[in-house]
Amino acid sequence: MTTLVATRAPLSRQLRSELRWIVRRPRTVIGLSALCLVPILAGVGLWFALDGDGRAGPGLAAIIAGNGLVLPIFTLFLALPLLLPLVGAIWAADGLAGEAQHGTLRGLLLSPVGRLRLLAIKTFGVATMTLLAVALLAVVGTLTGVVLFGGGGLLTLSGNTLPLGAALARIALTVLLVTVQVWGVAAIALAISACTEHPLVVMAATLAGVIVSGVLGLFSALDWLHPYLITSGWEGLTDIMRDPLPTGELWNSTALAGCYILIGLSLAAMRIATKDN
């Protein structure tokens, strides 16, 4: 008599399957392609700000002329308040709420895959795609900046210019720091996604939270609340453009985002562990 034993697929295979499921969706390709347009449009707009003799005009064009490696960092800061949180929220919404909407989450919960393991796989997919989006934005920004403005170095807010190697290291560090901030938003989106079957609700609630957090940060009467707002650390990320590099604000903003990641994933784990089949 043959006994059937339920076995789990290797974790590596499940992770690859999750990434293939995300990447093969047309909206993922379209979204990443549209994201690449942000640094290109920003670079072209700044290039037109130069005067007819090729000299720097007023404003940011005066800083970026001859320092094209400023463009990727500027683009990341430009996209952080709204565009990148939207990207993270979209993938988080599709990860759980999207599966529930299409009826596939029920089968995943009934399969021989632990619920926390399932959440870990979904989290891995969201985190990896978020890192890919931020890195892609930085790479396209770097190439655009070098082509349009030159890549001799990175002009810092301290007034000195970093050489090419140090400039690329600063860009890589910016990618890492911005990614952690978006992970914090995506973790909260995952917690919301575990509580609903409507992806649009997840995206709307997440973006509303980011906007409200930014608005609350404008009121001096709420100074006691500012250290707990996820957006309060984003302004401090501009220290990445200083030399020598101050680490105080960078560490505080990263630690705050880490707390949001822990809270969001904990709430998502509690919900997914008790979710009905």
Side-chain angles (χ1 to χ4, degrees), residues 25-39:
R25 287 180 301 184
R27 56 183 164 185
T28 298
V29 178
I30 295 173
L32 291 177
S33 301
L35 199 63
C36 292
L37 293 177
V38 175

Side-chain angles (χ1 to χ4, degrees), residues 154-244:
L154 174 65
L155 180 64
T156 67
L157 295 177
S158 303
N160 57 331
T161 301
L162 298 177
L164 179 61
L168 293 177
R170 288 293 179 94
I171 295 173
L173 180 59
T174 306
V175 169
L176 179 60
L177 294 175
V178 170
T179 300
V180 173
Q181 298 299 320
V182 182
W183 281 348
V185 176
I188 299 300
L190 268 175
I192 301 172
S193 185
C195 300
T196 181
E197 298 180 357
H198 304 285
L200 288 178
V201 173
V202 180
M203 290 182 282
T206 303
L207 289 183
V210 171
I211 294 172
V212 169
S213 177
V215 171
L216 292 178
L218 300 176
F219 295 99
S220 58
L222 299 176
D223 287 343
W224 59 272
L225 183 62
H226 293 174
Y228 307 103
L229 300 175
I230 190 170
T231 57
S232 63
W234 293 356
E235 185 177 351
L237 293 179
T238 55
D239 284 348
I240 199 72
M241 292 288 293
R242 303 186 187 279
D243 185 53

Side-chain angles (χ1 to χ4, degrees), residues 117-128:
R117 184 186 180 103
L118 174 62
L119 177 62
I121 293 171
K122 294 296 183 182
T123 302
F124 171 80
V126 174
T128 303

Side-chain angles (χ1 to χ4, degrees), residues 85-139:
L86 175 61
V87 169
I90 289 174
W91 283 319
D94 284 337
L96 294 176
E99 295 271 18
Q101 185 182 52
H102 292 91
T104 53
L105 183 61
R106 183 182 300 274
L108 292 174
L109 294 177
L110 291 173
S111 63
V113 178
R115 296 188 174 206
L116 295 182
R117 184 186 180 103
L118 174 62
L119 177 62
I121 293 171
K122 294 296 183 182
T123 302
F124 171 80
V126 174
T128 303
M129 294 305 298
T130 300
L131 176 59
L132 175 62
V134 177
L136 190 61
L137 199 64
V139 169

